[in-house]
Amino acid sequence: MRNALLMLLAGFVLAGCGSVWKGPEAAPVRKPDNALVTGQELKAWGPVNLLQGLKSHCCNGVMIEKTAVTFWGEAEIAELQKYVDDTTPSAPVYRPSSAVMCHGPKYVSSVGREARHLIEGIKKGTYPVSQCSTYDLQFSE
């Protein structure tokens, strides 16, 4: 009887320990770099995280796949509005189809410009909205 009780108690302890395991850990999210950023990554990162990644990757261009950004909306635009006046240097973005690679000092962007570029993309439903965010994109301000 005592052995059965100990085995039952041990079973409860082991069952409790097994429920703590949460499964495999999520893969780390990379920051924008010289590799193509996909639409799936844009969705996973969100526009503010993308903006912060562009800031940390200054000042080389970041190639981003043209993506229908219907998964972003007014809430993301409201968050991005906080950054539109930020003059901190940032990486510009460009499409894989762009003839302009957006590299070098003349293409350096700012956090504010990239925030406006993201806002424009959300409003139009496509991001990036131009071939190079610092070369052929004019904002009506």
Side-chain angles (χ1 to χ4, degrees), residues 36-52:
L36 174 69
V37 175
T38 66
Q40 294 255 0
E41 289 174 311
L42 287 177
K43 184 176 182 179
W45 292 340
V48 173
N49 286 332
L50 173 63
L51 191 63
Q52 294 304 323

Side-chain angles (χ1 to χ4, degrees), residues 34-109:
N34 292 334
L36 174 69
V37 175
T38 66
Q40 294 255 0
E41 289 174 311
L42 287 177
K43 184 176 182 179
W45 292 340
V48 173
N49 286 332
L50 173 63
L51 191 63
Q52 294 304 323
L54 293 173
K55 178 179 171 181
S56 70
H57 189 64
C58 183
C59 293
N60 292 319
V62 173
M63 185 173 24
I64 297 183
E65 173 182 70
K66 184 179 177 183
T67 304
V69 289
T70 54
F71 42 81
W72 294 338
E74 292 301 319
E76 288 79 8
I77 289 174
E79 280 295 309
L80 289 167
Q81 290 292 342
K82 299 173 187 173
Y83 299 94
V84 296
D85 295 322
D86 189 337
T87 59
T88 306
S90 169
V93 299
Y94 64 97
R95 292 182 186 170
S97 61
S98 178
V100 179
M101 299 310 287
C102 288
H103 291 287
K106 91 177 200 179
Y107 296 107
V108 173
S109 190

Side-chain angles (χ1 to χ4, degrees), residues 3 31 41 68 84 93 132 138:
N3 284 342
K31 290 187 175 180
E41 289 174 311
V84 296
V93 299
C132 177
Q138 301 299 317

